[in-house]
Amino acid sequence: MDESWVNYAERIGADLHLELSGPGGRRAALIRSLREAVRGGRLAPGTRLPPYRSLAADLGVARNTVADAYAELVAEGWFTARQGSGTRVAMGVPPTPLRQWGRAEPLRHAARVPRKAPPRARGPRHDLRQGTPDASSFPRAAWLASYRRALQQAPNEVFGPGDPAGRVELREALTEYLARARGVRTEPGRIVICSGFAHALRLLFGQDGSRDGGGDGVLRGPLAVEAYGLGFHRELLAAAGVRTVPLPLDEHGARIERLGGERVVLLTPAHQFPTGGPLDPARRAAVVDWARARGGVIVEDDYDGEFRYDRKPVGAVQGLDPERVIFVGSVSKSLSPAVRLGWMVLPERYVDDVLAAKGEREAWASVLDQLSLADFISRGSYDRHVRRMRQRYRSRRDRLAAALAAHAPHVEVTGVAAGLHAVLRLPPGTERSTVKAATWQGVALDGLAEFRHPDTDMAARDGLVVGYATPSEHAYGAALEALCGVLPPGE
């Protein structure tokens, strides 16, 4: 046999000793054995796994059994898979020290990181910050299939100057999907593709400030916003010269009756961020009536619109009056923030102005990504992915609630009927010390005060905003244990 082939086979780990035993069939046994090989250090971080065909032949199992096992371990965060690079052990999975397997002292050479590997910045051990989905759950195979189809079927014009409105294929797919899933009433000509919600804000409110606080965008301030929201968005608006006026919140959502002289209001009616809960139906009708009476407009951030667990879907406010609502959505939570695609569903009178703003100063979203997303939606892959992740995130939410009930029953959990995070109510005066203690213990999370508008007269609340989507499946249990360990004790 050729020596170069032998060396290549050794580099990719073609000879991999695995014992398939125990309950659950061959697939479950293979997954269990691969996990143990990683834990024990026999498969070090970065090790390339054998191809499906060769491992299946070695073990005497079906090729699909190996493929399914690899896919499951990729989803759990144990392995990574990349086109052209094969399947490898994830870099962030540490082996179990050998002394825990019955040795008095670990071998010095076990699970050694190659010297050529550069040092990596150490982040938190447990990331429970809100705002990002489980990166290990990205639907790589389905997305790659859509991307290949989009690339193969793309007309030549795709590779020339694009349309600032976005590819018509994506706008048509969104028209159908948003009508069916979110109750949005629109047509392709009223949709403008952007790269996310922040990009939409820049297009709507401009980049350059003005002394009267109005901005120079399509819309002018002052802008009414919810008393709790993302500080990043407030900073972006302030940089554009737009003054924001906070609306108090209660258990029914934003206090619409507190709207004053503003003519634009920004709301998260599907799931108020970060406190949770949908906007009450009566207040939905009231804010539309307010916009009609004042000639105003509602900017609807469809935050967490797809992820609901204990209630029926809440339709978009836009469906009540398409000429008074700008509906903004993206795939940053439902799919991945790495796919820089979002959309604005606009009243007809704003379409030309938004396109002019985009054409003059804004980068356009990747046309190939737009075509891929259009295919992904049209073939039902997006619906299947959202349903799968809805089940996974609901399970994580339930695990969070169960852990708190067992270890911190005095902590109230709210805002969990939908979304990717929960709010943990804390005793007054304990939020800052709890966040600090969490940081010391390597737990990254957000205090509720971080999201409070500085000008609101609404009473401050102590709490934590805990994201349960970010950790991989195998790391989630340890993250919950660490969280419960830093919570203040009950009285």
Side-chain angles (χ1 to χ4, degrees):
M1 181 179 293
D2 181 68
E3 184 177 354
S4 63
W5 168 252
V6 173
N7 291 336
Y8 174 74
E10 289 177 350
R11 286 201 308 273
I12 67 171
D15 292 329
L16 178 58
H17 175 70
L18 297 170
E19 293 185 4
L20 305 188
S21 60
R26 308 281 271 178
R27 176 181 176 276
L30 177 56
I31 292 174
R32 193 161 49 243
S33 185
L34 286 168
R35 284 200 197 103
E36 293 305 318
V38 175
R39 286 196 187 103
R42 293 196 299 115
L43 289 176
T47 299
R48 184 175 178 181
L49 278 299
Y52 304 155
R53 188 185 306 276
S54 63
L55 185 57
D58 289 346
L59 297 176
V61 300
R63 183 175 179 272
N64 285 344
T65 299
V66 179
D68 290 346
Y70 280 11
E72 177 66 21
L73 292 171
V74 167
E76 292 180 2
W78 293 89
F79 293 168
T80 62
R82 182 174 299 174
Q83 182 69 18
S85 184
T87 305
R88 296 178 181 271
V89 179
M91 293 302 297
V93 182
T96 302
L98 290 179
R99 61 177 173 270
Q100 296 185 19
W101 293 82
R103 295 187 63 92
E105 292 293 335
L107 296 177
R108 295 185 181 274
H109 65 275
R112 180 179 298 165
V113 177
R115 290 186 178 181
K116 64 180 180 180
R120 307 180 74 182
R122 295 187 63 185
R125 289 194 298 273
H126 308 290
D127 192 349
L128 293 174
R129 289 170 290 195
Q130 60 75 36
T132 57
D134 179 2
S136 68
S137 297
F138 185 81
R140 297 168 188 258
W143 182 260
L144 179 60
S146 288
Y147 195 92
R148 282 175 170 167
R149 280 190 295 267
L151 186 60
Q152 290 169 350
Q153 299 171 9
N156 291 336
E157 67 185 57
V158 164
F159 302 98
D163 183 347
R167 287 296 303 184
V168 67
E169 295 90 340
L170 178 54
R171 291 185 282 120
E172 288 174 347
L174 286 170
T175 298
E176 186 277 331
Y177 172 78
L178 294 174
R180 170 172 51 81
R182 305 295 300 120
V184 170
R185 294 190 288 155
T186 190
E187 57 192 24
R190 295 191 181 197
I191 296 178
V192 174
I193 303 302
C194 56
S195 62
F197 187 76
H199 185 195
L201 284 184
R202 291 187 177 99
L203 290 172
L204 292 172
F205 292 96
Q207 300 289 325
D208 302 323
S210 60
R211 294 185 63 185
D212 63 1
D216 67 340
V218 175
L219 303 177
R220 297 180 65 82
L223 168 67
V225 298
E226 294 159 332
Y228 280 80
L230 271 179
F232 169 69
H233 291 163
R234 292 194 297 268
E235 293 167 2
L236 186 154
L237 291 162
V242 178
R243 182 169 62 90
T244 55
V245 180
L247 284 177
L249 299 164
D250 61 19
E251 65 272 17
H252 302 296
R255 299 276 300 278
I256 302 302
E257 76 277 7
R258 293 284 296 271
L259 283 167
E262 307 85 18
R263 297 183 63 179
V264 188
V265 59
L266 169 61
L267 300 172
T268 53
H271 186 235
Q272 201 288 318
F273 178 82
T275 61
L279 186 64
D280 182 81
R283 294 187 183 180
R284 288 169 167 253
V287 75
V288 171
D289 289 342
W290 166 85
R292 290 168 178 167
R294 291 197 56 83
V297 63
I298 304 157
V299 179
E300 179 175 10
D301 179 359
D302 192 41
Y303 188 84
D304 286 341
E306 293 93 348
F307 296 114
R308 70 273 177 185
Y309 312 121
D310 298 334
R311 56 172 169 77
K312 294 181 179 180
V314 178
V317 172
Q318 191 268 0
L320 300 177
D321 193 336
E323 293 303 325
R324 292 294 172 192
V325 182
I326 297 174
F327 178 90
V328 185
S330 77
V331 298
S332 63
K333 306 295 187 300
S334 58
L335 195 57
S336 169
V339 182
R340 302 300 302 155
L341 286 176
W343 48 84
M344 287 181 282
V345 179
L346 298 162
E348 186 175 12
R349 66 185 183 277
Y350 291 129
V351 173
D352 289 342
D353 290 339
V354 169
L355 291 178
K358 188 178 184 186
E360 290 175 1
R361 63 175 96 184
E362 293 292 345
W364 298 348
S366 165
V367 171
L368 290 177
D369 283 346
Q370 292 182 52
L371 292 174
S372 301
L373 181 58
D375 182 273
F376 198 72
I377 293 172
S378 299
R379 291 179 177 270
S381 299
Y382 187 70
D383 283 281
R384 288 189 290 272
H385 174 71
V386 168
R387 286 196 297 270
R388 182 170 61 252
M389 298 312 298
R390 189 182 296 143
Q391 293 173 354
R392 176 168 295 183
Y393 292 147
R394 178 173 182 168
S395 174
R396 291 193 181 190
R397 180 208 63 171
D398 292 346
R399 289 174 64 186
L400 170 63
L404 292 170
H407 302 289
H410 58 286
V411 174
E412 180 186 2
V413 186
T414 65
V416 293
L420 305 182
H421 72 269
V423 175
L424 277 54
R425 303 292 189 193
L426 298 179
T430 62
E431 177 183 316
R432 181 177 297 181
S433 60
T434 303
V435 172
K436 189 174 183 179
T439 302
W440 286 344
Q441 296 300 319
V443 181
L445 44 72
D446 298 306
L448 189 58
E450 181 178 335
F451 303 95
R452 188 170 183 267
H453 196 292
D455 298 331
T456 185
D457 58 3
M458 182 177 168
R461 308 169 180 176
D462 277 64
L464 303 175
V465 180
V466 177
Y468 46 77
T470 302
S472 59
E473 283 293 305
H474 79 275
Y476 188 54
L480 291 182
E481 183 178 353
L483 170 67
C484 292
V486 301
L487 294 175
E491 297 181 358

